[in-house]
Structures are given as structure tokens and as C-alpha cells.
Amino acid sequence: MGALLQVHLLRVDDLEAVRDEVAGLVAPGFVAPADARQEAVLDLLGEGLMLRSLLGVRDDDQLVLGRYGKPCLRDGNRHFNLSHDAGLVACGICDRPVGVDLARLAYNEPVVRRLFEPLGLRLDEGAAAQGLGTDGGDLPDDQGDARAWAFARTWAGLEARLKAAGTGFAAGVRRHPELLEGWHLQTVDLERCVLGCACAEPFDLELRPFDVTAALQTLR
């Protein structure tokens, strides 16, 4: 029996009307400076709210940073990973090392040539499983859009594995391609972005929309 990886997905638009209340509930490290961009403020609040609601993190000292900056629970009871992009925040939780990444649709030929090809990564053109609010198997007819989906899947899968390894890009994946080895990977299409998930062993993936209103009612 494989591991269970739960990925909770929060829409940042749901935070706009309650941002001040959320700021009073999350760990201080998830409250952005006053001059930060609106998007950055909401992304950070979303991460903090999910950690508070799902894992009980209310203080910064409940988290520790790994060598390359990956946050972990100090008590080590569960593994989690965070990502944000395209108006969503993702929080993956598992009892094994895990990495999650949200990648918005884009196509970048220099990245394909300078990163994907040296690593032996081919663009993932296969249809992903059905995601949150979208039919992941229905690719756009336009070739540019199709390439953007394929690029986003490959990028999300790459970064999810590096985040699971705890290094991100900081360790230099072109010098250490072995960082990508040994991880089990799934990607899922989510509206206009792709979710990549990596785990240390085979896993069942469970997507859960995060209800901001319900979480606040519980935490008040």
C-alpha cells in the first residue's frame, strides 16, 4: 500500500475580504510587509492559513528550515510542502518527504534547451488526470497552448522533485542530476496551471479544495 499525499488548494481571491482577519491568525512569518504587492500578500497569507488550519502552525518557531531553505515542522511528525501560482496556493501533506509545485502555462524555449534537454527531460505532452475545476484531458487545439501545457507539466514535475529533495534549484541540478532520481511523480492540470507532486514512494493523490470560510469559523 502506497503513501497518501493530500494536496489542499486555496483560491487566493477568497482571501481578499478577510485578509486582515487571516493576518491575525497566521504565524508572523506569513504576514508580508506593508509595501508588498497584493498578489504576494495573499499568496503568503494563504500559505500561513493552510499551515495554521491543517497543521496547527501558529508561531514561526514551529518551523525549521533545511540547508537549502525548505520549511519543515520542528516536531517532524508530518511532511509538507507549499507552492503558489496562477491564483492558487497548494499545500501538500504526507507522512513521507514530499514536494509540490504549481506552474502556470508558459513555453520557454531557452529553458527547454539549457535545462530540460541536458537533464534528458522531454516535454510531457500526455494528458493529466482531471483536476480542480477543469478537465485535464482536454488540451487546447492551438499548438502554442498545447506546448504551454506540456512545458508546465515538465516544469512542475522537475521542481516538485527538487522540492521533495529539499534542495530546489540551489544545489545545481545540472551538476547533480541524481537529485531527480528515486522520486515518484504525478502531474495534474488545474485550469490554467499544472500541479506537480513528488513523493519518496508510490502514492495515492487526493486533491482537496480549501474552504477559507470554514477554516476561519473553526479558528475564531
Side-chain angles (χ1 to χ4, degrees):
M1 182 176 180
L4 174 62
L5 170 53
Q6 293 181 336
V7 178
H8 302 258
L9 293 160
L10 178 153
R11 298 183 184 276
V12 295
D13 288 348
D14 295 341
L15 295 171
E16 291 188 17
V18 293
R19 56 184 291 178
D20 291 340
E21 180 179 4
V22 173
L25 293 170
V26 302
F30 292 91
V31 179
D35 59 350
R37 293 179 297 106
Q38 168 81 351
E39 181 181 0
V41 170
L42 296 180
D43 287 341
L44 202 56
L45 287 176
E47 292 180 349
L49 180 60
M50 285 200 285
L51 289 183
R52 173 70 193 277
S53 177
L54 300 171
L55 294 171
V57 176
R58 66 176 67 202
D59 297 307
D60 294 336
D61 62 7
Q62 291 177 258
L63 302 175
V64 294
L65 299 181
R67 176 182 176 185
Y68 294 97
K70 182 181 181 180
C72 303
L73 293 175
R74 184 175 294 275
D75 61 24
N77 289 334
R78 303 296 302 278
H79 295 272
F80 76 90
N81 199 227
L82 299 163
S83 182
H84 57 262
D85 204 350
L88 292 174
V89 180
C91 178
I93 300 175
C94 190
D95 59 2
R96 299 290 189 273
V98 60
V100 298
D101 186 66
L102 290 168
R104 68 177 64 216
L105 295 186
Y107 181 78
N108 189 319
E109 182 65 29
V111 170
V112 173
R113 294 196 310 267
R114 298 170 189 170
L115 183 62
F116 291 175
E117 291 178 358
L119 291 173
L121 299 176
R122 300 181 61 184
L123 290 185
D124 182 358
E125 298 178 354
Q130 182 171 332
L132 180 69
T134 186
D135 180 359
D138 185 15
L139 288 179
D141 292 332
D142 180 80
Q143 180 62 27
D145 285 346
R147 290 202 308 170
W149 280 106
F151 181 92
R153 291 192 192 105
T154 305
W155 180 269
L158 169 63
E159 190 154 4
R161 283 178 284 177
L162 293 176
K163 293 174 74 175
T167 67
F169 285 98
V173 65
R174 290 185 59 179
R175 296 191 305 275
H176 299 285
E178 68 275 7
L179 292 171
L180 301 179
E181 298 175 0
W183 300 103
H184 298 268
L185 178 67
Q186 295 186 40
T187 61
V188 181
D189 292 353
L190 302 173
E191 296 180 352
R192 302 301 293 179
C193 69
V194 173
L195 169 70
C197 303
C199 186
E201 64 180 59
F203 62 94
D204 294 319
L205 178 61
E206 183 178 288
L207 298 183
R208 292 191 172 189
F210 184 88
D211 188 327
V212 170
T213 300
L216 291 178
Q217 289 175 344
T218 301
L219 294 173
R220 285 178 181 133

